[in-house]
């Protein structure tokens, strides 16, 4: 089976884009995860479409990743093909919209949000400052409807080009993307984001860059960016903050192996050494149980779990 997958992948991608037994710890910001049988990094949109069509038609198990900043991969790794939408897919186009003061920005899904926000800023467009410090790819951000400091992807996205369930490339408008809190139709239907279209208006470049710097400084001050993590481990329960519930439950600094509730921000579970996915999973369950016993509130993980634990 594995030999068959490899030879089939070679029909759509060149050899250097296909890795075998690749440690997923190298592709996640948690720095955790066993080996993936195959990890492929398509260099163009056409190659993404070709490799997804192949996996679908041959029924090879596959999973899409961007920057791996919201992912926990099991210690025993992933059986199948990880399709890495990397920064090779970072092309951006900016056009003025006719009969309006707005500008359309079309970006490929592998671009990092930090790079895209910089590109938008230097073109004097405002509305994407909130995203500059989120350490993910654009594809991952649309899938998660990532947000920070009062902004969310849904506020500026007007559409996306995606691969649907049958392998066809289709365009979805904002309504069809059906964004919710850390949710979108991409997650619900398992679609694959190729390109995203935004609309922005002109702003003052200096003010935009100042806002980005200010938000990044606030992030550095409040978040344990010096340790590997996947950001906020849990979604925000309605009417509460996960970090505060965890802190008030006495779990600040609570540790299982090398996985710990951050002292700096209790909403973050961090890897302070050679942490394992099994320990992250145990700590997540322990936090949820403890908070539930004290407050009757369940915490739902925001982090996506894949592979074998
Ligand atoms: C220090 C730190 C701070 C963070 N701060 C924030 C924050 O302020 N706000 C916030 O919302 N999040 C935050 N996060 C979480 C994370 O950065 C975001 O969810 C980010 O958008 C995930 O992007 P990614 O490329 O890393 O996705 P990945 O982790 O690679 O994948 C996440 C999900 O998206 C899917 N996916 C990825 N790319 C595609 C694609 N092209 N097509 C279809 N599906 C795809 C994956 O299958 C997976 O289900 C933080 C994380 C860290 C480590």
């Amino acid at each position: 089976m594995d030999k068959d997958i490899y030879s089939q992948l070679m029909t759509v991608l060149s050899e250097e884009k296909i890795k075998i037994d690749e440690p997923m710890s190298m592709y996640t910001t948690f720095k955790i995860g066993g080996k993936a049988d195959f990890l492929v990094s398509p260099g163009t949109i056409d190659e993404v479409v070709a490799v997804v069509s192949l996996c679908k038609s041959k029924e090879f198990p596959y999973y899409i990743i961007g920057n791996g900043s919201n992912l926990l991969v099991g210690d025993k790794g992933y059986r199948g093909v990880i399709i890495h939408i990397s920064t090779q897919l970072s092309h951006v186009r900016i056009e003025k919209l006719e009969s309006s003061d707005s500008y359309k920005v079309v970006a490929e899904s592998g671009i990092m949000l930090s790079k895209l926000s910089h590109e938008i800023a230097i073109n004097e467009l405002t509305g994407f400052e909130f995203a500059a410090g989120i350490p993910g790819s654009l594809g991952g951000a649309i899938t998660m409807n990532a947000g920070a400091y009062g902004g969310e992807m849904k506020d500026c996205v007007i559409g996306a080009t995606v691969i649907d369930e049958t392998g066809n490339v289709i365009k979805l408008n904002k309504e069809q993307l059906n964004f919710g809190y850390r949710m979108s139709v991409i997650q619900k239907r398992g679609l694959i984001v190729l390109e995203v279209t935004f609309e922005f208006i002109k702003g003052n470049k200096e003010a935009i860059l100042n806002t980005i710097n200010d938000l990044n400084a606030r992030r550095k001050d409040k978040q344990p960016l010096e340790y590997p993590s996947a950001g906020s481990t849990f979604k925000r329960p309605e009417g509460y903050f996960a970090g505060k519930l965890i802190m008030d439950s006495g779990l600040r600094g609570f540790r299982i192996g090398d996985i710990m509730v951050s002292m700096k921000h209790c909403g973050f579970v961090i890897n302070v050494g050679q942490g394992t996915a099994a320990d992250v999973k145990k700590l997540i369950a322990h936090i949820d149980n403890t908070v539930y016993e004290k407050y009757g509130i369940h915490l739902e993980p925001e982090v996506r779990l894949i592979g074998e634990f």
Side-chain angles (χ1 to χ4, degrees):
M1 171 72 166
D2 278 5
K3 264 197 181 152
D4 183 35
I5 296 183
Y6 186 72
S7 56
Q8 292 287 334
L9 289 171
M10 286 281 283
T11 64
V12 291
L13 293 174
S14 55
E15 202 176 340
E16 76 279 3
K17 291 175 182 157
I18 309 168
K19 302 233 161 58
I20 303 171
D21 286 340
E22 189 70 346
M24 289 305 294
S25 52
M26 287 166 51
Y27 297 85
T28 62
T29 55
F30 243 140
K31 305 278 174 241
I32 289 174
K35 291 176 179 170
D37 291 344
F38 299 96
L39 183 139
V40 299
S41 303
T44 62
I45 297 263
D46 286 348
E47 285 185 349
V48 177
V49 175
V51 79
V52 170
S53 302
L54 175 75
C55 291
K56 281 184 185 287
S57 67
K58 301 284 176 191
E59 296 185 359
F60 297 155
Y62 70 91
Y63 193 82
I64 309 289
I65 67 163
N67 195 45
S69 64
N70 208 30
L71 273 192
L72 178 65
V73 183
D75 300 309
K76 296 189 184 124
Y78 181 79
R79 305 286 73 81
V81 183
I82 296 284
I83 303 176
H84 179 209
I85 309 286
S86 74
T87 53
Q88 292 177 84
L89 296 165
S90 287
H91 186 257
V92 180
R93 274 189 337 264
I94 300 182
E95 293 161 23
K96 174 135 183 14
L97 286 167
E98 272 173 40
S99 65
S100 136
D101 288 337
S102 301
Y103 287 74
K104 187 167 101 170
V105 175
V106 184
E108 287 182 345
S109 58
I111 193 168
M112 290 291 286
L113 297 179
S114 51
K115 178 150 193 257
L116 180 58
S117 69
H118 185 73
E119 198 112 336
I120 289 168
I122 59 172
N123 280 280
E124 300 179 19
L125 300 177
T126 184
F128 205 61
E129 295 87 328
F130 75 91
I134 303 175
S137 71
L138 177 57
I142 298 305
T143 306
M144 300 303 300
N145 184 25
Y149 302 110
E152 275 183 317
M153 288 295 142
K154 74 167 173 44
D155 302 335
C156 43
V157 169
I158 56 168
T161 306
V162 304
I163 305 178
D164 73 6
E165 293 87 337
T166 54
N168 289 321
V169 175
I170 58 164
K171 285 186 189 295
L172 298 180
N173 64 27
K174 184 177 178 159
E175 283 66 43
Q176 291 167 319
L177 285 164
N178 201 4
F179 290 117
Y181 173 63
R182 299 296 173 265
M183 184 48 81
S184 68
V185 78
I186 309 294
Q187 261 184 69
K188 285 187 206 137
R189 285 173 50 189
L191 308 178
I192 294 136
V193 186
L194 300 173
E195 274 189 347
V196 180
T197 307
F198 299 91
E199 193 174 322
F200 296 111
I201 53 166
K202 278 272 176 196
N204 174 286
K205 185 155 99 185
E206 207 187 327
I208 296 166
L209 290 171
N210 282 343
T211 304
I212 289 178
N213 289 340
D214 176 48
L215 295 182
N216 283 349
R218 278 163 67 182
R219 211 174 253 282
K220 207 169 160 204
D221 188 44
K222 293 272 181 316
Q223 300 182 357
L225 302 183
E226 57 282 21
Y227 289 104
S229 79
S232 298
T233 315
F234 299 98
K235 293 187 178 179
R236 198 177 55 229
E238 229 180 304
Y240 298 90
F241 289 103
K244 182 157 176 17
L245 289 171
I246 296 167
M247 187 170 72
D248 294 349
S249 300
L251 290 170
R252 188 166 184 217
F254 186 87
R255 183 168 173 166
I256 297 182
D258 274 347
I259 302 297
M260 189 172 120
V261 176
S262 162
M263 302 289 285
K264 195 167 174 184
H265 187 320
C266 291
F268 280 57
V269 162
I270 56 175
N271 179 3
V272 295
Q274 306 298 312
T276 63
D279 283 346
V280 176
K281 220 176 156 187
K282 273 189 218 152
L283 186 53
I284 287 177
H286 180 75
I287 294 169
D288 180 35
N289 287 338
T290 310
V291 168
Y292 187 72
E293 270 169 26
K294 190 146 189 209
Y295 295 103
I297 298 163
H298 271 302
L299 294 179
E300 190 195 334
E302 180 177 320
V303 175
R304 319 275 295 164
L305 277 61
I306 66 160
E308 297 179 353
F309 281 79

